[in-house]
Amino acid sequence: MPDSPEQVVREVGKHLAQPRLGKDALVKLLKQAENALSELSQSSSLQDALHALSKSLAQTTLLNHKDKDVKLLVAVCFIEVMRILAPDPPFSDEILKEIFRLFISIFADLTETSSPYLTRRMKILESVAALRCSMIMVDIGCEDLILDMVKIFFTSVRQGLQQSVCQAMLSIIVQILNEKVTQPLVDLILRNLVKDGKGASHKLAFDIIHNCPEKLEPIVRSFLSSCIFNKDIPVNDLRKLHHKVILEIYQCARQILFAVIPNLTHELLSEQVDIRLEAVHLIGRLLALSNLHFGQENKLVFIEFLKRFSDKSAEVRIAAIDAAKACYMVKSSGDEAQDILSKALLLVVLLYRLLCCQPFHVDIHFFAASLQGRLLDFDEKVRIRAVNTVCDLAKSNLSLFPHEVILLAAERLRDKKASVRKNVMHKLLELYRDYCEKCSKGTATVNTHYEQIPAKLIVCFHNDIESFRPQNMELIFAEELFPSSLSPKERATHWIEFFSYFKPEHIKALNIIFSQKRRLQLEMQAYLSLRAKKEEPSDEIQKKICASFRKMATSFADTSKAEECFKNLHQMKDNNIFKDLVGLIDEGTTFATSCLIRDSFLKRIGHKHPIHSFFKILSIKCSYSIFNREMICAIFESLLSCGNELTDYVDSACDLLLVVALVFPSLFRGSEEYLLKLLSEESVLINEKTLRILAHLAKPTHHLSISFSNVIYPLLEQKCIEGTRAESKYAITAIASLHSPDDQKFAKLCKKVVSGLNDNRNVPTLLQSLGSILEHSPSVYELYGRQIVNSIQDILMSTEFISTSGQSSLDGNSTCCCSCKLKVYCLKALVKGFLPRIARARINGILGKLLEYEKGLFPDIALCENDSLYLQLAAGKCVLKLATRWDSHISPELFRNTILMARDPSYIVRKSFICKLYGLLKRRAIPVRYACALALASTDCSGDVRAESANYLSEVLKEQRRFFVQQNRASKDSIVDNPAYAVVFLIHTLAYDGGFPSNYIEDQTSFPEFCSPLCVMLRALVEVDSFNRTEHGPTISSVSVLSGIFRAIQKAEDPSDSEITPKLHILSKIGLLIIKDLDKHCKMSDSPRHILLPSSYYKLSGSERKVDECQENFISDKLVKRILKAHEPYKHQDNVKCSFVSERVSSESAPEREACSALSKLVGRNASVCDKGKGNKSLASGKSVSKKKDQNTNSSLEKENVSSCGSAGTKLSSPGSLGLSKEADSGDCVSLLDKQKRPMNRCSTRNTRASEADPNSCRKTVDISNFRLRECSFKRDHDKGSSESQKHEALLSGSLVLCSELEDIGDCDDNFVKPPLSNKRADLKKRGKRALQLLNSQNSSDVTGVDTRDNVRCTRARKVRV
């Protein structure tokens, strides 16, 4: 019978007591004991049976045995004895310490997962946990052993260990913490909690804290509070990581941190940037982890955190932005994002509710509002991070992110820092590509806010930044705007969508890109054709090739480098390279084929080629990468699929087709069938835009494959009779393109038009059609000349309203009556008939009529009450139109009267005339001498007119100078073509001015005002000359040309009036001194030796004149200094004082002003001198000032009221735009008739009339009769018999006229402009202080205030009652 377990245990105990047992014997005995002990259950009665074994195991030789196997078996026997005799182990405290030390050494081997003894080790660990041996360790003071054991636990724990082992370790540590918590043990746990990698040791620490929050809270709170408040304590590794400790504890036992988190405000308010930075990072993570609940639970901390968005440190602000991004990414990814976004609370509301103890909810709109503020941060790094964050968040959820924030981020494209602009551009492109890709996949729908991104991108041209130059913007729209996988149809859809947000400035920018691309393609075609010629290349061909290279190089950012690259291209021998280029510039190439050709082209070049990047850009620019025929067909299909609905989408598609057709008409080959359907009788899409497209595409040079003449003509004829004026204009142009000018269709159409005029049907449209017919087919005039003249005369002589087939008003917003408009239309129709060369014999007659009309004489026109100003404006514009063809026939008198319209008393007339003039000069349709009008207007007292005219003058002169240099005319024999030659005509105009100071020697104060246009013109020419030298290298100097001109004028005289000659000499001498002062380095010896002056303006002096010593003394450097000082260039867009004279007068006290009466009388006498002599007619709009006293009280209406300039807040139009911007504010329209009855006030003024309610506020005013400022010194020729309404100065406040880039400058209704509308927000405090009155001192009148406000300035006029 085998021995019982008790007996075995006794026997083993005795044998183990024997000395010097070998390893094998020990192992055998210990295994027997292990097996026997495992069979015994827990019982205190077994203490005697186990006594011998316990005593033997406690021997030093066994406890400290060096063999691992023996140690492991001894430890197993110890844990079994402790299990059986629990809870009172039969060992002393010292023995127990050694036993626990043995256990701990066994625990260190738990990492050996492949060991055969792992089971025994796990058994020991689990038994220690189950027997709660850790409590014994605490009781006997084994803190160091406990710490070592916990360290071994954190070291030994692995991801592959059994769950029971990890649970046993956790249980042991929890038991210890429940008994006693020590700082070293907590530090150990926290170090493993924040250990990098977050492995099994991190999880063990996490679970420990999660199971013992109450026990750990005091020590953890004390530790963290010490880290927050006591920054002076020496920092150890754990204190450095206290934010990470908070973050981890917040995830496992946030109740531990209830007393710690409020202390974070101390760190947020710290003076040290790094402390605030770390605090912001921490709170941002806490917000993200808690799904923003942290903000609700800790209000004060959250509020202080939001303030860090405006922290004084850029790093902290950036950290706050990153925190907002992290929070949004968490919230936007969940299902509750929509609910949270719908609860948009502002920070102000949050603060208010907090102070009022009201509940509030924290959502990501707090961060959206804070991000908006950082988009305008003063630090560029913060702005960049804010933009990046906005774009990344928008990409994460296109539909839910606040769209207004995206548009605000896009505004940073105009940031002052180039680095910000470049970053914004790339991020917006990335966002838009992501949006397009998601739309293509169907995961997103068309969004109006994202479609505005291209409009924001296209207007960010900046020549100083390479990425924003037009040359590179083309690459952006070709390659970076859309994903490469997007189909042509999808691209066309997006183009239509975002093109609806394009304004004139966007279209202008797009035209620059398109035109640049088209020029390169045409030049490349020309070069390839030259290269393909089989004959030997001659010098002439080589010159042409070099010229092509120069022209194509302008399409690249670095023109000189590009020109060298083109030369390298020319040297290549592989003809396949040039065949690829031919394929790229073929308009029939599809997108897919174009990509293949580009890849082939670049492969032939080789990726290792030094200029591979240049050839890559060249391949993009040569190909139709922005628009091609596929996209044109897709747009047509989109249009036709809309049926007969006129929506914004349809309107945008038509506009886009028009822009593309004007630059790339060849892309419409293959779209003829779509055009036929678009222009079918059932379609409602037949409007001004589609007709203009047809008119342009129907030109023979565009080679459309289908003849439209028979199919489309009935429709075009209908539009000429029944359509609008704009439709008839383009319908006639289309007919002229489809048929020859002598075609009988024009004759038949003209007959119908004349018949319609006689029947008074749709007269405005018929007049437009008539004028266009006469312009395109002058032979029609020979057939129907008499009928045309009779019909027009009937309209001109009519004063009654003429029916317009249901059109109750020609322009509901215009103040011009229908009768007046019809007269203007008649005048325009007549003038168009004189544009063809065949009208040479009749041109002098119409020019004479126009001169009469400009003077205000209308013998053959029946005038309504307010027709005069409109007809004068129309006459001036007609002269400009005729100058495009018949400039040599325009007399000096007509020229003067025309350009002096820029000084017309009417604000609307001045603005409209300048707009028309600028457009023609910009296109170089008329000679540059007409730029004199811009010089006259650039000294206007109205702020917007002055600034726009000065900008236009500078722009026109630069363009003319550039064209002059490019045409290789920079030689002394081509002075007439130099922009500086315009001064010849400006001096002549000034000499004939009725306000020329006659007694200039005694009174030198009037000359600075009078010479202001000359000063402005010369200053602009000198600046353009300097700019041109920088851009084009050394060329003939404008200053030397001006010097020659002035010296030539001093040797000439006026051909018609000898009294004008001294004035010419005075002005030329002043001009000569001005240019010497403006350009100190100019050498007068470089002046051309021979200057040709126009014979109708000057003739060579027959004899030398004697030098006037008084005149020589008067014209000095001192006078020039005063002139230049009085007219320094405006450095701001603010309205400044009109002149130093008016400023001086307005600032004087009443007695001081009375001292100016002598000057006033002197100027008044000088004005009347102009009535003497041949050809010396007054240039004023009314009668000249009489020397005698006028007894009629109505004479007071002839005087001029001039006030100071407008406010400093004048809004100016962009100098880079083609036309003047158009703004419309709410307010009542002011008619020309009402304005015409008011005294003139071209300058905006402050309200000087005192309030009727407060008599003490009245200001004392003094009459200064006949005093003329520079703005009022130009008088236009009028006959003394002019009607009384023509004498009045018309106060017409700021109406802005729009010249569309898409529309021809000579638009059919460009004579009619909308009157100014009110702007109630004008700041009267910034207005000028002067209100100079030019009243007849012999007559007195009651004065009432007339308040006229507009969108440019607020003015206060004075009206005289008769």
Side-chain angles (χ1 to χ4, degrees), residues 555-585:
S555 297
F556 294 81
D558 191 338
T559 54
S560 58
K561 182 180 178 180
E563 191 171 347
E564 291 298 323
C565 293
F566 277 117
K567 292 178 181 178
N568 291 338
L569 173 66
H570 186 62
Q571 300 300 324
M572 292 184 176
K573 304 300 182 182
D574 190 353
N575 287 329
N576 290 323
I577 291 177
F578 299 97
K579 289 182 181 178
D580 288 340
L581 287 174
V582 172
L584 287 175
I585 59 178

Side-chain angles (χ1 to χ4, degrees), residues 410-427:
E411 292 299 321
R412 290 300 90 214
L413 286 167
R414 299 182 296 172
D415 197 277
K416 61 182 179 180
K417 289 290 185 179
S419 59
V420 179
R421 293 202 291 270
K422 290 171 64 176
N423 180 82
V424 175
M425 180 181 69
H426 291 306
K427 293 301 293 185

Side-chain angles (χ1 to χ4, degrees), residues 1287-1305:
K1287 303 174 186 176
H1288 302 160
E1289 300 284 354
L1291 174 62
L1292 296 173
S1293 39
S1295 176
L1296 299 180
V1297 186
L1298 175 66
C1299 289
S1300 175
E1301 182 72 63
L1302 292 177
E1303 191 63 43
D1304 290 344
I1305 298 300

Side-chain angles (χ1 to χ4, degrees), residues 276 293 683 713 929 1038 1077 1207 1292 1347:
R276 297 200 307 277
H293 293 301
S683 175
Y713 179 77
R929 66 178 181 140
S1038 295
D1077 190 273
S1207 73
L1292 296 173
D1347 189 12

Side-chain angles (χ1 to χ4, degrees), residues 792-798 823 826-827 830 853 860-862:
I792 289 179
Q793 284 181 346
D794 290 343
I795 298 175
L796 292 176
M797 296 303 298
S798 174
K823 293 177 176 64
C826 289
L827 188 58
L830 278 177
Y853 296 160
D860 52 355
I861 299 179

Side-chain angles (χ1 to χ4, degrees), residues 713-731:
Y713 179 77
L715 170 66
L716 298 178
E717 182 180 286
Q718 179 186 1
K719 290 297 179 182
C720 293
I721 304 298
E722 301 175 2
T724 64
R725 283 177 58 81
E727 290 175 350
S728 67
K729 173 183 177 179
Y730 296 116

Side-chain angles (χ1 to χ4, degrees), residues 1001-1017:
I1001 298 176
E1002 296 181 6
D1003 175 24
Q1004 300 182 10
T1005 59
S1006 57
F1007 249 89
E1009 300 299 323
F1010 180 80
C1011 295
S1012 56
L1014 180 61
C1015 180
V1016 170
M1017 174 67 87

Side-chain angles (χ1 to χ4, degrees), residues 156-423:
S156 303
V157 68
R158 293 286 186 274
Q159 295 292 347
L161 285 178
Q162 294 182 11
Q163 183 64 30
S164 60
V165 174
C166 298
Q167 188 62 38
M169 292 180 179
L170 174 62
S171 177
I172 292 171
I173 298 175
V174 169
Q175 293 168 16
I176 294 172
L177 292 175
N178 286 332
E179 290 296 320
K180 185 178 183 180
V181 181
T182 62
Q183 183 67 51
L185 182 58
V186 173
D187 290 348
L188 179 60
I189 296 171
L190 295 180
R191 281 192 175 90
N192 284 276
L193 181 68
V194 296
K195 196 172 183 180
D196 294 334
K198 288 194 175 183
S201 60
H202 169 269
K203 186 178 186 308
L204 178 59
F206 187 95
D207 292 339
I208 292 169
I209 297 174
H210 179 72
N211 284 275
C212 303
E214 295 84 4
K215 298 293 183 179
L216 293 174
E217 191 270 338
I219 292 182
V220 172
R221 170 170 48 81
S222 176
F223 166 72
L224 293 177
S225 299
S226 175
C227 294
I228 293 173
F229 291 104
N230 301 325
K231 300 295 182 180
D232 298 333
I233 296 178
V235 180
N236 55 30
D237 294 340
L238 187 59
R239 290 180 69 88
K240 288 181 180 179
L241 299 174
H242 72 282
H243 281 171
K244 194 171 183 179
V245 171
I246 294 175
L247 186 66
E248 295 295 337
I249 293 178
Y250 188 81
Q251 299 177 67
C252 59
R254 64 181 62 182
Q255 61 269 32
I256 296 177
L257 302 175
F258 286 161
V260 176
I261 288 178
N263 298 334
L264 291 176
T265 55
H266 179 77
E267 291 190 336
L268 290 172
L269 294 172
S270 174
E271 292 295 328
Q272 299 181 36
V273 175
D274 57 340
I275 294 178
R276 297 200 307 277
L277 184 62
E278 292 175 0
V280 168
H281 283 306
L282 170 64
I283 297 174
R285 295 191 186 102
L286 293 175
L287 285 166
L289 287 172
S290 65
N291 285 343
L292 302 183
H293 293 301
F294 176 87
Q296 292 178 243
E297 298 167 355
N298 304 275
K299 303 173 185 177
L300 295 178
V301 177
F302 181 67
I303 292 172
E304 194 58 45
F305 168 75
L306 290 179
K307 293 179 181 179
R308 294 311 101 208
F309 280 92
S310 56
D311 193 276
K312 60 184 178 181
S313 170
E315 293 180 87
V316 177
R317 298 196 298 274
I318 291 175
I321 292 173
D322 292 340
K325 177 180 177 180
C327 294
Y328 187 90
M329 297 294 284
V330 171
K331 292 305 295 184
S332 63
S333 60
D335 296 335
E336 59 181 355
Q338 182 64 50
D339 296 335
I340 293 177
L341 281 172
S342 64
K343 301 175 182 177
L345 300 176
L346 298 175
L347 178 60
V348 178
V349 178
L350 183 149
L351 293 172
Y352 172 78
R353 290 185 175 181
L354 178 65
L355 294 175
C356 297
C357 300
Q358 295 184 10
F360 70 99
H361 179 74
V362 178
D363 64 25
I364 59 176
H365 267 273
F366 286 111
F367 303 112
S370 300
L371 279 176
Q372 293 182 28
R374 292 312 96 215
L375 291 171
L376 301 176
D377 195 280
F378 59 85
D379 189 280
E380 60 181 292
K381 294 179 181 179
V382 180
R383 298 198 298 274
I384 289 175
R385 187 63 65 91
V387 170
N388 292 348
T389 300
V390 168
C391 293
D392 291 341
L393 295 181
K395 285 174 59 180
S396 69
N397 199 321
L398 292 174
S399 59
L400 298 182
F401 188 77
H403 299 136
E404 62 275 6
V405 182
I406 301 172
L407 297 181
L408 287 175
E411 292 299 321
R412 290 300 90 214
L413 286 167
R414 299 182 296 172
D415 197 277
K416 61 182 179 180
K417 289 290 185 179
S419 59
V420 179
R421 293 202 291 270
K422 290 171 64 176
N423 180 82

